[in-house]
Amino acid sequence: MSAKLIKGTEIRDAILKEIEAEVNEIKEKHGIVPGLVTILVGENPASISYVTAKIRTAKDLGFHEIQDSQPEDLTEEKLLALVEKYNKDDSINGILVQLPLPKGIDDKKVLNAIDPDKDVDGFHPVNVGRLMIGGDEVKFPPCTPAGIQEMIIRAGVETSGAEVVVVGRSNIVGKPIANMMLQKAKGANATVTIVHTRTKDLAFHCKRADILIVAAGVPGLVKPEWIKPGSCVIDVGVNRVGEKISEKTGKKIAILKGDVDFDAAKEIAGSITPVPGGVGPMTITMLMRNTLNSLKFKLGLM
Ligand code: GUN
């Protein structure tokens, strides 16, 4: 293995310690802790495990936390009323509605109903706009892109003037991370290309990348010969390709594979994120940071 491993688990642990220290300080000085509610509609197994992990982390950090689980047949009207209830709840600084929502509920309508000042996912159009403008305007960068940028910074990878190629154009990862990497800011200032399913020659673009960010949702899409020697490869793919029995717990767990052929890519790249244990742990960490920051904005500390 020649590439340096960028371990999300280690970076997560360091950032969570920083957050915990701030939570304790604010609690002492102001007698208040950040409050996070996650709203889960239905019983999608992946969503249940994500939401459980988010709430467990919030609890471990000393946040006030609520996991609000609702039945699959909840109406859109009732979900909108629930969001409004938490918009008005002073003990709540962050509202997260887990996606995807069941068929029949318009997710845009629901996301747009969240108070932009409690939108710790950063999905509300107001926060998407703030992100586009950049600088001081940004309140809540979306969690996965924020985690990616933090990993790049903490790994010491030079971004200024770098060729960044983003594979994938989703609203959750591809579009926001591309926008963040081109801002005039720390961990950015890059020349950015976005490629997607209609791009004519994916390999051509990937081969030019000093920093390759792959969020396509296609296991093993990026081949080793597409990777520029010495480059930084960030694999956002979390593809469930099967199941196995966990050695630790004896329970069935998903076998996860990234969008990059890791075993071959690690011999060519300069640095690379593993799957699992790479970008995944950073998403929850950034959600915690956004929730803490939401309280800090409210208290005038930011
Ligand atoms: N579903 C998959 N990723 C996310 C996320 O980051 N936020 C929310 N709300 N739902 C998701």
Side-chain angles (χ1 to χ4, degrees):
M1 159 129 187
S2 57
K4 170 183 158 186
L5 256 194
I6 308 176
K7 290 184 188 159
T9 44
E10 280 178 9
I11 300 173
R12 169 197 64 195
D13 292 347
I15 297 174
L16 289 183
K17 260 195 199 145
E18 295 164 14
I19 294 175
E20 195 174 13
E22 275 202 72
V23 170
N24 289 334
E25 198 184 321
I26 291 173
K27 192 176 173 184
E28 239 172 58
K29 281 195 189 147
H30 301 271
I32 191 167
V33 295
L36 173 68
V37 60
T38 58
I39 302 174
L40 172 67
V41 186
E43 288 175 4
N44 177 324
S47 293
I48 291 174
S49 89
Y50 287 139
V51 163
T52 306
K54 287 168 187 173
I55 284 297
R56 197 190 317 123
T57 308
K59 195 172 185 171
D60 289 346
L61 290 172
F63 286 18
H64 162 54
E65 94 299 327
I66 300 172
Q67 178 168 348
D68 193 332
S69 296
Q70 295 289 330
E72 181 86 23
D73 61 358
L74 185 80
T75 61
E76 185 179 283
E77 199 186 350
K78 283 199 173 144
L79 180 53
L80 290 169
L82 198 59
V83 168
E84 194 47 33
K85 180 181 100 170
Y86 290 117
N87 279 343
K88 289 186 180 141
D89 184 338
D90 268 346
S91 73
I92 293 298
N93 307 104
I95 302 171
L96 178 139
V97 178
Q98 186 65 27
L99 302 175
L101 286 166
K103 279 196 193 96
I105 297 185
D106 180 349
D107 52 5
K108 260 194 235 153
K109 215 167 168 180
V110 174
L111 295 180
N112 292 2
I114 296 173
D115 178 346
D117 290 341
K118 295 191 178 187
D119 169 39
V120 286
D121 254 331
F123 292 165
H124 190 286
V126 166
N127 286 315
V128 175
R130 286 172 174 161
L131 189 80
M132 186 84 174
I133 295 166
D136 292 350
E137 278 294 326
V138 183
K139 277 192 117 167
F140 304 121
C143 303
T144 301
I148 293 169
Q149 193 176 38
E150 194 69 42
M151 292 178 100
I152 292 171
I153 292 171
R154 292 193 186 220
V157 175
E158 179 59 81
T159 57
S160 184
E163 292 287 339
V164 169
V165 175
V166 178
V167 184
R169 55 178 159 179
S170 71
N171 288 330
I172 294 185
V173 185
K175 282 193 256 181
I177 189 61
N179 180 46
M180 288 161 77
M181 295 307 294
L182 63 79
Q183 298 288 348
K184 214 176 216 180
K186 183 182 163 205
N189 267 315
T191 303
V192 180
T193 305
I194 308 181
V195 298
H196 48 77
T197 41
R198 296 297 170 96
T199 297
K200 284 192 183 130
D201 191 344
L202 277 181
F204 166 79
H205 293 285
C206 291
K207 280 180 196 169
R208 293 189 303 105
D210 299 313
I211 301 173
L212 180 63
I213 301 170
V214 193
V218 181
L221 171 75
V222 172
K223 310 290 175 257
E225 59 273 20
W226 297 9
I227 291 168
K228 181 172 170 180
S231 63
C232 170
V233 177
I234 306 285
D235 189 351
V236 191
V238 185
N239 305 292
R240 290 165 185 250
V241 294
E243 284 184 335
K244 64 178 179 185
I245 302 294
S246 161
E247 282 175 19
K248 261 196 216 157
T249 63
K251 286 185 186 165
K252 252 194 213 169
I253 53 166
I255 300 172
L256 302 179
K257 198 168 184 306
D259 290 350
V260 177
D261 178 352
F262 177 81
D263 287 334
K266 73 184 192 310
E267 304 302 332
I268 302 162
S271 55
I272 188 167
T273 60
V275 177
V279 175
M282 295 300 294
T283 300
I284 294 183
T285 307
M286 293 299 125
L287 177 70
M288 300 303 133
R289 183 191 269 179
N290 278 352
T291 307
L292 168 64
N293 286 349
S294 177
L295 175 61
K296 287 170 70 178
F297 284 124
K298 190 175 161 189
L299 294 173
L301 301 174
M302 280 187 86

